[in-house]
Every structure is written in C-alpha cells, then in structure tokens.
Amino acid sequence: MREFARSLTPRSIMTGSIVLYAVVLVMVLFPPAYMSVSGMRNPVILGLPFVVFYYIFNAALLGVGLTVLYRIEDLRGELDERRIQEGE
C-alpha cells in the first residue's frame, strides 16, 4: 500500500479526489438524482427511511474519501511539518 501511495503523482491524487467529490455532489445536489430517491415509497434500510439513509450514505462516502486522501498524504510524507518548514 505504501509503495502504491508513493507511486501516485499529485495530479492523479487530485483528479481522483475531485471525481469522488463531484460524484457525491451530483448525488446530493442534482435534482433528478434526489427526486428518484425521494419518490420511493416506504423502503426502510437499517430502520431509516431511504431518503435519510441516502444522505447518511453520501456523508459516509465523503468521509471515507477524505480519510483515504489523508492516509495517502500521510504515507507520502506530505504531512510532515519538518518537510513543510524546509520548503520541500
């Protein structure tokens, strides 16, 4: 995993992050996507109405994306304060 994270270019990391966030934003903010979910009748998942589950799922997907981005930056050493202060 560490070698894979180090082999990624900053451009590919940024592109992957932007694609993930764009997908989540479209799922939440694009009216046809929301309307297709809100029109469902009485589906219950984990005791929640499907619309509520849909928003929790989107928030969880965004949280997982941010966690993965943080881990990749940590594995690449981009969060090391000494490197930042030295201007690398």
Side-chain angles (χ1 to χ4, degrees):
M1 176 70 181
R2 183 176 300 240
E3 295 304 318
F4 176 72
R6 287 184 178 158
S7 68
L8 295 172
T9 63
R11 185 181 180 109
S12 64
I13 294 170
M14 189 59 63
T15 302
S17 299
I18 289 173
V19 168
L20 174 68
Y21 300 135
V23 167
V24 171
L25 282 175
V26 167
M27 289 174 65
V28 173
L29 298 176
F30 190 59
Y34 171 74
M35 297 297 269
S36 68
V37 173
S38 68
M40 299 178 123
R41 295 184 187 253
N42 300 327
V44 177
I45 297 176
L46 301 174
L48 298 171
F50 188 75
V51 174
V52 174
F53 177 79
Y54 180 75
Y55 281 110
I56 291 173
F57 174 75
N58 286 325
L61 186 64
L62 192 59
V64 168
L66 287 172
T67 302
V68 169
L69 180 62
Y70 175 79
R71 289 292 301 154
I72 288 173
E73 288 180 347
D74 186 35
L75 288 174
R76 293 170 51 93
E78 295 174 354
L79 301 176
D80 190 8
E81 290 185 16
R82 287 178 288 168
R83 288 183 66 188
I84 294 171
Q85 291 174 352
E86 293 172 0
E88 288 185 26

